[in-house]
């Protein structure tokens, strides 16, 4: 099969790799209908995370089941399925509490590289969720979004306790931040403030339910949020970047008693203890338990109640994966969809 491999910062190649096979009786192998480039893929692409050996890339996936192991009971060949970047048994005590991305048996589902034609998915019964029927082709991008960025934006909104009567601020205008706006709207937020400097992303944020756009960053961005909230700050803040500046901007934009849902993968973030102590801000986040939300998200997508697939503003064949990375790195694209 063909698959994308990162050899070094900036060096993505699509090459022939061995087809995945059933290794454990709880595995499934799926033929991918679509894959994509994640913002977190850009960390090693930019050299911020080390690349010590050629690494298969991609952890967002949808496709049709080709084969299942002997112990798989609920997933069957021929089904169209959506999965999460972490495989989980969905039965352990942590999973039952809704934190499948910290399952006691979790495995990284992207280890085999989902930017490819085929993917082995461990713990198939607990990880994969089948759609009611084979979906129409125009729903595939939205279902692909559900496998990570929609589920992550949704968790950011849930962790920030976005809901009825709340003012929600979203730090970050990538795909996760934009879908955090969508999630906050679905959860009933009264006011949603998108923080963005890019006209195309501002436009999509407004389509997804943002009521205000703030272009300032850092302390200036915090001041604008305070101006818009009678000097108090937002009830809920979604942090969708993962840098020191974005985390502090999120914390400082929240009012005393407010909630920050942080879902950007943290890099070099250090929290000042005394400021945090006196802020009275709740912090909750981490790797999104996408599996918790998949049944609801799939239903919303199949009912065409939401259209998260709009975050894909560049579609390329798998063989052009390198261009997909470049376009996102240079901010010429919000998110790249790859068709095997």
């Amino acid at each position: 099969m063909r698959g994308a491999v990162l050899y070094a910062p900036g060096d993505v190649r699509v090459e022939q790799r061995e087809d995945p096979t059933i290794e454990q009786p709880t595995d499934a192998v799926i033929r991918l209908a679509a894959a994509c480039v994640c913002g977190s893929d850009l960390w090693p692409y930019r050299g911020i995370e080390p690349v010590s050996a050629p690494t298969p890339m991609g952890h967002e996936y949808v496709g049709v089941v080709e084969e299942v192991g002997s112990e798989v009971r609920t997933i069957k060949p021929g089904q169209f399925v959506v999965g999460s970047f972490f495989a989980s048994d969905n039965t352990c005590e942590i999973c039952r509490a809704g934190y499948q991305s910290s399952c006691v048996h979790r495995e990284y589902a992207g280890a085999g590289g989902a930017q490819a034609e085929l993917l082995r998915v461990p713990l198939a019964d607990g990880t994969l969720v089948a759609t009611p029927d084979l979906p129409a082709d125009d729903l595939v991008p939205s279902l692909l979004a559900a496998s990570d960025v929609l589920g992550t934006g949704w968790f950011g909104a849930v962790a920030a306790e976005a809901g009825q009567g709340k003012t929600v601020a979203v730090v970050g205008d990538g795909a996760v931040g934009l879908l955090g706006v969508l999630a906050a709207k679905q959860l009933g937020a009264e006011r949603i403030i998108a923080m963005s400097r890019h006209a195309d992303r501002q436009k999509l944020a407004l389509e997804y339910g943002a009521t205000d756009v703030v272009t300032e960053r850092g302390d200036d961005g915090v001041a604008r949020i305070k101006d818009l909230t009678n000097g108090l700050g937002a009830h809920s803040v979604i942090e969708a970047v993962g840098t020191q500046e974005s985390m502090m901007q999120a914390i400082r934009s929240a009012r005393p008693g407010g909630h920050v849902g942080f879902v950007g993968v943290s890099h070099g973030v250090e929290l000042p203890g005394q400021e945090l102590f006196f802020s009275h801000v709740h912090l909750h986040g981490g790797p999104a338990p996408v599996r918790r939300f998949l049944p609801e998200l799939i239903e919303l997508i199949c009912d065409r109640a939401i259209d998260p697939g709009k975050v894909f503003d560049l579609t390329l064949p798998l063989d052009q994966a390198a261009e997909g990375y470049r376009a996102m790195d240079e901010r010429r694209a919000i998110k790249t969809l790859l068709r095997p």
Side-chain angles (χ1 to χ4, degrees):
M1 70 169 187
R2 292 170 300 131
V5 178
L6 180 66
Y7 275 79
D11 183 6
V12 173
R13 310 176 196 176
V14 176
E15 57 189 27
Q16 286 295 321
R17 297 174 47 220
E18 286 191 16
D19 288 359
T21 59
I22 299 294
E23 298 178 13
Q24 300 294 329
T26 50
D27 289 349
V29 172
I30 66 174
R31 181 165 295 277
L32 295 160
C36 55
V37 181
C38 183
S40 64
D41 292 333
L42 297 181
W43 294 104
Y45 181 80
R46 291 169 172 162
I48 297 169
E49 290 179 359
V51 182
S52 57
T55 304
M57 296 298 289
H59 55 263
E60 298 162 275
Y61 56 95
V62 293
V64 176
V65 178
E66 290 225 323
E67 185 180 2
V68 297
S70 60
E71 294 180 12
V72 177
R73 297 289 178 262
T74 62
I75 298 299
K76 298 176 173 56
Q79 287 182 316
F80 190 97
V81 292
V82 184
S84 170
F85 48 88
F86 275 123
S88 58
D89 60 27
N90 208 35
T91 59
C92 78
E93 189 172 339
I94 303 302
C95 285
R96 294 198 308 273
Y99 289 87
Q100 291 91 335
S101 49
S102 285
C103 172
V104 298
H105 298 120
R106 77 174 183 181
E107 295 184 46
Y108 180 50
Q115 293 163 12
E117 294 178 289
L118 297 163
L119 179 69
R120 179 182 77 89
V121 180
L123 303 171
D125 279 334
T127 303
L128 299 174
V129 179
T131 57
D133 302 292
L134 287 176
D137 191 64
D138 68 318
L139 288 179
V140 170
S142 287
L143 291 167
L144 178 60
S147 76
D148 183 353
V149 286
L150 174 59
T152 296
W154 202 276
F155 178 55
V158 169
E161 300 210 352
Q164 297 289 334
K166 299 286 186 69
T167 293
V168 181
V170 182
V171 179
D173 64 356
V176 170
L178 291 167
L179 293 176
V181 170
L182 180 153
K185 176 69 172 178
Q186 288 292 312
L187 293 169
E190 182 176 299
R191 190 175 193 186
I192 304 169
I193 305 168
M195 307 189 86
S196 172
R197 292 180 170 180
H198 302 88
D200 56 337
R201 299 170 189 233
Q202 293 171 4
K203 180 174 180 290
L204 188 51
L206 292 168
E207 283 186 44
Y208 279 156
T211 55
D212 304 85
V213 173
V214 166
T215 58
E216 294 87 351
R217 289 184 180 172
D219 291 342
D220 291 339
V222 173
R224 283 289 297 130
I225 295 293
K226 294 290 180 71
D227 286 345
L228 292 168
T229 55
N230 298 317
L232 299 176
H235 299 95
S236 305
V237 184
I238 301 169
E239 191 285 315
V241 183
T243 64
Q244 181 73 22
E245 180 185 46
S246 63
M247 181 64 94
M248 295 314 302
Q249 183 173 318
I251 292 169
R252 290 167 180 166
S253 294
R255 65 179 58 197
H259 293 75
V260 174
F262 59 97
V263 290
V265 181
S266 296
H267 286 75
V269 174
E270 296 182 358
L271 301 181
Q274 192 154 20
E275 179 180 349
L276 191 60
F277 181 78
F278 284 102
S279 71
H280 268 150
V281 168
H282 303 75
L283 297 180
H284 183 41
V290 171
R291 178 61 181 81
R292 186 207 304 183
F293 306 112
L294 274 180
E296 178 183 3
L297 299 181
I298 288 171
E299 183 177 0
L300 286 168
I301 290 164
C302 290
D303 289 347
R304 299 184 183 271
I306 58 173
D307 188 6
K310 287 182 180 179
V311 296
F312 294 107
D313 55 348
L314 178 63
T315 298
L316 295 171
L318 175 63
D319 289 337
Q320 295 179 31
E323 168 56 20
Y325 276 81
R326 281 193 294 272
M328 287 178 62
D329 180 44
E330 296 166 5
R331 298 186 74 85
R332 290 184 284 112
I334 299 172
K335 193 166 178 66
T336 303
L337 185 145
L338 301 171
R339 289 281 193 176

